[in-house]
């Protein structure tokens, strides 16, 4: 399988807690070979797929890197925000130790400052998705073409992020990209391609870490169960 950090145990102590390791713990049918790259894009996945050996089943798990806005300029860090990092506006995965009331207030103020600055940078054209939405279809065509040449069966998983506390602009961007990707993958008239759509019932706080993107152990367990069920129903 090939995926972003959403298919890894990012933010967790044990790598075996990731959903691929859970889903394929029984190696009687499939042997798991996983390539997980943080911030994986469709273009980067093409390079990885080219170097892969042929396989019976290929799972692609793309995260929020495709449609979520990120900083396209590097500045000096301010207000505790890492402007020198493209993911500087992202929330930390873990909350850390129990905070005092004063620390909780400071955290709330920092979040509001972040959201205000996001709109400033957005209007300046410095906070936007790394991939143009007009390029998505062509990039998916390239990924699917290589994936179906490498594998007899392909399962596409498009990750969903929890939208709590994100700005309206971020939610709008992500919704457009997510809808475009799902629509495009569904349009392939190819029996090799299957898609796992994560249901609304999954997108709740108990399944996500503090950054609202990466999964808690419970989220990984649920996703592993959905993958196993999809594989069984689709005779993958």
């Amino acid at each position: 399988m090939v995926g972003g950090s959403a298919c890894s145990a990012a933010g967790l102590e044990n790598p075996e807690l990731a959903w691929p390791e859970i889903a394929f713990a029984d190696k009687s049918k499939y042997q798991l070979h996983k390539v997980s790259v943080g911030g994986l894009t469709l273009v980067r996945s093409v390079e990885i797929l080219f170097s892969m050996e042929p396989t019976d089943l290929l799972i692609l798990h793309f995260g929020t890197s495709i449609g979520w806005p990120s900083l396209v300029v590097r500045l000096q860090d301010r207000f505790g925000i890492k402007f020198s990092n493209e993911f500087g506006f992202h929330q930390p995965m873990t909350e850390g130790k129990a905070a005092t009331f004063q620390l909780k207030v400071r955290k709330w103020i920092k979040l509001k400052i972040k959201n205000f600055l996001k709109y400033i940078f957005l209007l300046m054209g410095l906070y936007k998705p790394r991939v143009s939405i007009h390029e998505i279809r062509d990039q998916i065509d390239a990924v699917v073409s290589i994936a179906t040449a490498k594998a007899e069966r392909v399962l596409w998983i498009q990750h969903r992020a929890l939208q709590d506390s994100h700005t309206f602009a971020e939610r709008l961007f992500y919704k457009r990209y997510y809808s475009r990707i799902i629509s495009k993958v569904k349009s392939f008239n190819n029996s090799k391609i299957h898609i796992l759509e994560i249901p609304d019932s999954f997108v709740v706080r108990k399944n996500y870490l503090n950054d609202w993107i990466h999964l808690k152990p419970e989220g990984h367990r649920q996703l592993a169960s959905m993958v196993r069920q999809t594989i069984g129903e689709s005779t993958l």
Side-chain angles (χ1 to χ4, degrees):
M1 77 159 294
V2 176
S5 58
C7 73
S8 73
L12 306 179
E13 295 181 357
N14 185 352
E16 297 301 314
L17 293 174
W19 73 259
E21 280 71 15
I22 298 173
F24 298 101
D26 178 5
K27 299 172 182 169
S28 59
K29 186 173 182 181
Y30 295 110
Q31 181 77 33
L32 176 65
H33 297 280
K34 183 174 76 172
V35 178
S36 176
V37 179
L40 181 68
T41 62
L42 294 168
V43 172
R44 178 72 179 102
S45 73
V46 168
E47 300 173 11
I48 296 171
L49 291 171
F50 261 127
S51 64
M52 287 182 59
E53 294 294 326
T55 183
D56 292 329
L57 171 63
L58 173 61
I59 300 178
L60 304 172
H61 185 182
F62 292 104
T64 59
S65 300
I66 298 173
W68 206 265
S70 60
L71 282 171
V72 296
V73 66
R74 301 294 176 266
L75 302 172
Q76 188 173 353
D77 296 349
R78 288 284 190 275
F79 314 114
I81 302 172
K82 295 184 178 299
F83 294 109
S84 56
N85 187 313
E86 66 176 304
F87 303 115
F89 278 147
H90 288 195
Q91 288 290 102
M93 293 186 195
T94 57
E95 295 186 24
K97 298 180 180 179
T100 63
F101 174 76
Q102 288 82 0
L103 287 176
K104 289 181 179 179
V105 171
R106 287 174 60 186
K107 181 180 176 182
W108 180 84
I109 292 174
K110 183 178 178 180
L111 177 62
K112 297 304 178 184
I113 292 175
K114 274 187 177 182
N115 287 344
F116 173 75
L117 291 175
K118 285 175 184 178
Y119 279 110
I120 298 298
F121 283 111
L122 181 66
L123 292 172
M124 294 172 65
L126 301 177
Y127 185 57
K128 59 185 180 181
R130 289 181 289 175
V131 180
S132 167
I133 195 164
H134 303 295
E135 300 173 357
I136 288 294
R137 289 192 174 95
D138 290 340
Q139 292 183 10
I140 292 176
D141 281 336
V143 171
V144 170
S145 176
I146 301 170
T148 52
K150 291 283 186 176
E152 291 299 318
R153 292 146 302 223
V154 178
L155 177 61
W156 187 299
I157 304 171
Q158 190 61 43
H159 195 64
R160 292 184 65 182
L162 186 65
Q163 302 296 309
D164 293 19
S165 299
H166 286 115
T167 65
F168 172 78
E170 287 172 317
R171 295 195 298 271
L172 183 62
F173 270 124
Y174 190 63
K175 182 178 180 180
R176 288 185 64 207
Y177 275 77
Y178 182 85
S179 298
R180 184 71 60 90
I181 293 167
I182 294 296
S183 175
K184 177 60 179 177
V185 176
K186 281 184 173 181
S187 71
F188 287 100
N189 185 23
N190 191 328
S191 60
K192 285 187 174 184
I193 299 289
H194 302 265
I195 186 168
L196 191 164
E197 292 188 71
I198 297 176
D200 292 341
S201 59
F202 179 89
V203 190
V204 292
R205 282 182 177 269
K206 69 176 183 178
N207 288 333
Y208 292 84
L209 293 174
N210 192 57
D211 65 353
W212 309 303
I213 295 173
H214 297 91
L215 301 177
K216 290 181 178 178
E218 175 61 21
H220 280 288
R221 285 192 292 270
Q222 288 190 38
L223 185 51
S225 178
M226 285 189 280
V227 169
R228 286 195 298 264
Q229 183 179 0
T230 302
I231 289 174
E233 291 178 349
S234 303
T235 62
L236 292 172

